[in-house]
Structures are given as structure tokens and as C-alpha cells.
Amino acid sequence: RKEVEQDPGPFNVPEGATVAFNCTYSNSASQSFFWYRQDCRKEPKLLMSVYSSGNEDGRFTAQLNRASQYISLLIRDSKLSDSATYLCAVILLIYNQGGKLIFGQGTELSVKP
Amino acid sequence: DAGITQSPRYKITETGRQVTLMCHQTWSHSYMFWYRQDLGHGLRLIYYSAAADITDKGEVPDGYVVSRSKTENFPLTLESATRSQTSVYFCASRSGTAIGNTIYFGEGSWLTVV
């Protein structure tokens, strides 16, 4: 089983729609959580960190549910420019090995006019 | 400019050849990572390093070797390249594991093994 799993996608939505991505992680030792955006196989760019209390940045809201071991990303009022691949990432702390940064396989979002 | 740089950016090599992808960061970040990205698999961790002279395997380490003699460099070597290692390789660095510590990615190295 993969350590971090995401919805397979792709998601095709009209402009203005609300879209939600979910991501589950298997290891309860996971410490920090993130959402990244990636365009056309360029390097991933940090979209937002995910805090236990949930956090919002404009049209983007991220939530963490430690009990169920999943994180989510909600995009409201989606724009054409939101079209990209969204990756969740988790830092897994390993005793004596530091922190591994593991990514989900990514979910492609296509926003249509 | 300070940053994280990868070289070469594009490489074509033959099966069986040894290839080294270089990664250099100028921030003295303790953590560095190597990923490969293939369609349908997202970013998969190959190796990572928590500090100089400390390296550990990730999800897909077979066929790869890393070293970290200096904090700023983290080369990835394919000892005998195979076609299945055709991929885009991303290097990344981070100053620690705290959630506020940003991860920086290089622009990627596109490797084709023929």
C-alpha cells in the first residue's frame, strides 16, 4: 500500500465550480502536511501547508483529519488558471533517519470555460 | 542567485552507461531529496539525506546510488542505466522538518535511456 494516496482524477470542472481533493496517508507518524501545485511537469510549487486547525488562503482551504488520516483541499470559484496537477505531501519522521517527504500520485484538474 | 540547481537539465544516454545527475543548493539546508516522476506515479522518493554523510533509501532506490560528502551537493548516480529509468528527476532541499520550513525544488533533469 502506498504511504500517501490521492483521488485518481482527472477532474474536469467548469469555471466557478467548487472542487475538492482528498488525500490519505497510512503512517500515523506522519508529521507535516502540504499541498503542492505542478504545471506541465515543471517543478512542484508549494500551494499551502496544512495545519491541524485547518487553514484558508483566499479561494483555497486545507484541512487535516488526524484521526482518519486524511487531508483535503477545497478550491472555490475555480479559475482557468487553476488547471494543474495537485499533489499532497507528507513528512514522515523515521527514528534515526530524519524526515522523508512523500508525495501522493497527484490529481489533475482541468477547469473549462 | 542563491537557489537549487540541477545538471544536466537534459540527458540522453545508452543502456548500461553510468550517469550522474548533480544537485547543488546554496542555503546549507540539512535535508535533500531525489525524486523521479513518471506518468501515473507522481513524485516517488528515490533517496534522501538528513545531513552530510547521512543518506537513506526512499520508495524506489534500486538502481541508484547517492552520496553527500558536502552539505550543498547531493549527486544521484545510475550505475548502469536501464530504459525503465527514463524519467524526470527532481532534486529538493529543506532546512528541517518543521511545517514552516519551505521545500525548494530544482527545475528537473530529463533523462532518456535508449
Side-chain angles (χ1 to χ4, degrees):
Chain A
R1 181 185 173 187
K2 287 179 69 67
E3 301 232 30
V4 181
E5 296 200 65
Q6 286 184 246
D7 292 345
F11 287 14
N12 297 303
V13 303
E15 267 188 297
T18 295
V19 60
F21 301 125
N22 291 316
C23 175
T24 58
Y25 58 96
S26 60
N27 196 316
S28 58
S30 301
Q31 185 193 51
S32 302
F33 309 89
F34 309 89
W35 282 101
Y36 278 79
R37 171 190 170 129
Q38 187 178 29
D39 295 281
C40 298
R41 300 189 90 192
K42 294 186 177 180
E43 71 273 23
K45 298 283 179 66
L46 179 66
L47 182 63
M48 56 199 306
S49 303
V50 187
Y51 299 98
S52 297
S53 56
N55 45 300
E56 188 173 306
D57 182 4
R59 297 181 294 110
F60 299 84
T61 301
Q63 292 193 315
L64 166 64
N65 185 320
R66 283 191 183 271
S68 301
Q69 296 185 190
Y70 79 82
I71 62 174
S72 64
L73 176 69
L74 188 75
I75 304 176
R76 291 181 298 277
D77 187 24
S78 54
K79 312 289 185 191
L80 296 176
S81 57
D82 293 333
S83 296
T85 296
Y86 291 83
L87 300 131
C88 62
V90 166
I91 288 183
L92 179 61
L93 284 183
I94 306 291
Y95 177 73
N96 274 349
Q97 295 178 20
K100 291 198 294 185
L101 176 62
I102 304 291
F103 284 84
Q105 64 266 46
T107 304
E108 185 179 346
L109 172 65
S110 180
V111 181
K112 307 292 187 183
Chain B
D1 278 343
I4 181 166
T5 54
Q6 294 183 229
S7 61
R9 292 291 316 284
Y10 304 94
K11 176 80 176 175
I12 300 175
T13 191
E14 294 178 337
T15 300
R17 298 262 188 176
Q18 183 179 84
V19 176
T20 295
L21 305 179
M22 303 300 295
C23 180
H24 175 79
Q25 50 104 355
T26 59
W27 298 291
S28 298
H29 284 170
S30 54
Y31 281 90
M32 295 188 76
F33 308 86
W34 272 108
Y35 296 90
R36 61 176 290 173
Q37 187 170 35
D38 308 286
L39 286 173
H41 288 282
L43 286 157
R44 291 184 291 175
L45 182 64
I46 305 171
Y47 270 95
Y48 69 107
S49 169
D53 296 322
I54 301 174
T55 62
D56 281 295
K57 296 178 181 179
E59 301 168 279
V60 288
D62 293 343
Y64 302 94
V65 174
V66 292
S67 61
R68 189 140 178 234
S69 56
K70 293 183 178 181
T71 299
E72 61 267 30
N73 297 324
F74 191 37
L76 176 74
T77 298
L78 290 67
E79 293 192 302
S80 179
T82 65
R83 288 181 181 165
S84 64
Q85 292 177 308
T86 293
S87 188
V88 182
Y89 291 85
F90 288 103
C91 178
S93 73
R94 179 179 172 91
S95 61
T97 56
I99 196 166
N101 294 340
T102 303
I103 302 151
Y104 296 88
F105 280 87
E107 292 183 297
S109 294
W110 296 70
L111 176 67
T112 300
V113 183
V114 298

